[in-house]
Amino acid sequence: TPTFTLGPEGTDVSEGGEFAGAKTVRITVLTPGASVLYTLDGSTPSATNGTSVASGGTVAIDRTATLTAVGVKVGLEDSPSRSARFVITYLLSFLAPQATSGSMAQERRVSAETRPLPANQFQRTGHSFTGWATSDGAAAAYADGAAYLMPAADTSLYAAWSANRYTVSFDSQGGSAPS
């Protein structure tokens, strides 16, 4: 049965888990000369389904996936398969460099998961919040509460603003207009 480990210290992650950021997982089987077939969609690897790596080879997991692997060697029966779910999370930051007040905490979100954005907590004197932009100064791409698909990377959204318009009128109360 394959084992899954992380990093040079070989931390066992054969049961999967939740991880901050992309991970490189080493897949190992004990049979000398065996290789490994794996999938990232939870399906059972086979000669026609999966990717082959040498025992001790690695797979990069940058989004939530179910890693399933079997050891294979010509002339021997395939090993039992092992599956583990790797939930990969990234930070979503809310920034408003031009705000005059307010703050918002970062959120840790699961990659490839869609969730609503929180309501804006920033204020800017003389301006109205129009939504969340993908870069500072850009037009809003997402409204408060809009569905947001978390990418496989730490990400920042920026408050987008429009200047408030004011109308000033003068009533001379029957007198002459000022010059």
Side-chain angles (χ1 to χ4, degrees):
T1 303
T3 58
F4 305 147
T5 57
L6 287 180
E9 62 282 346
T11 304
D12 189 323
V13 290
S14 294
E15 302 303 316
E18 185 171 310
F19 303 91
K23 296 297 173 213
T24 300
V25 178
R26 183 172 309 284
I27 309 172
T28 307
V29 292
L30 296 178
T31 305
S35 59
V36 176
L37 287 173
Y38 73 88
T39 63
L40 292 173
D41 62 4
S43 63
T44 303
S46 67
T48 59
N49 180 41
T51 302
S52 179
V53 296
S55 178
T58 60
V59 57
I61 301 178
D62 69 351
R63 61 196 66 228
T64 298
T66 299
L67 174 61
T68 303
V70 297
V72 294
K73 185 173 181 180
V74 174
L76 296 178
E77 189 174 316
D78 291 353
S79 75
S81 66
R82 176 177 304 270
S83 287
R85 184 156 175 80
F86 290 81
V87 177
I88 307 299
T89 64
Y90 295 95
L91 285 176
L92 179 59
S93 300
F94 302 94
L95 305 175
Q98 300 163 343
T100 51
S101 64
S103 65
M104 293 182 69
Q106 293 178 317
E107 294 182 355
R108 184 155 291 283
R109 291 190 169 208
V110 175
S111 67
E113 180 179 270
T114 300
R115 287 189 17 218
L117 291 171
N120 171 49
Q121 299 299 309
F122 296 108
Q123 295 84 37
R124 182 178 177 195
T125 302
H127 291 76
S128 295
F129 177 76
T130 59
W132 296 106
T134 56
S135 62
D136 190 23
Y142 303 97
D144 270 350
Y148 182 75
L149 175 64
M150 188 65 192
D154 290 341
T155 304
S156 295
L157 293 178
Y158 297 82
W161 308 97
S162 65
N164 293 340
R165 296 187 153 248
Y166 301 96
T167 301
V168 178
S169 59
F170 178 76
D171 182 350
S172 64
Q173 303 275 329
S176 58
S179 52

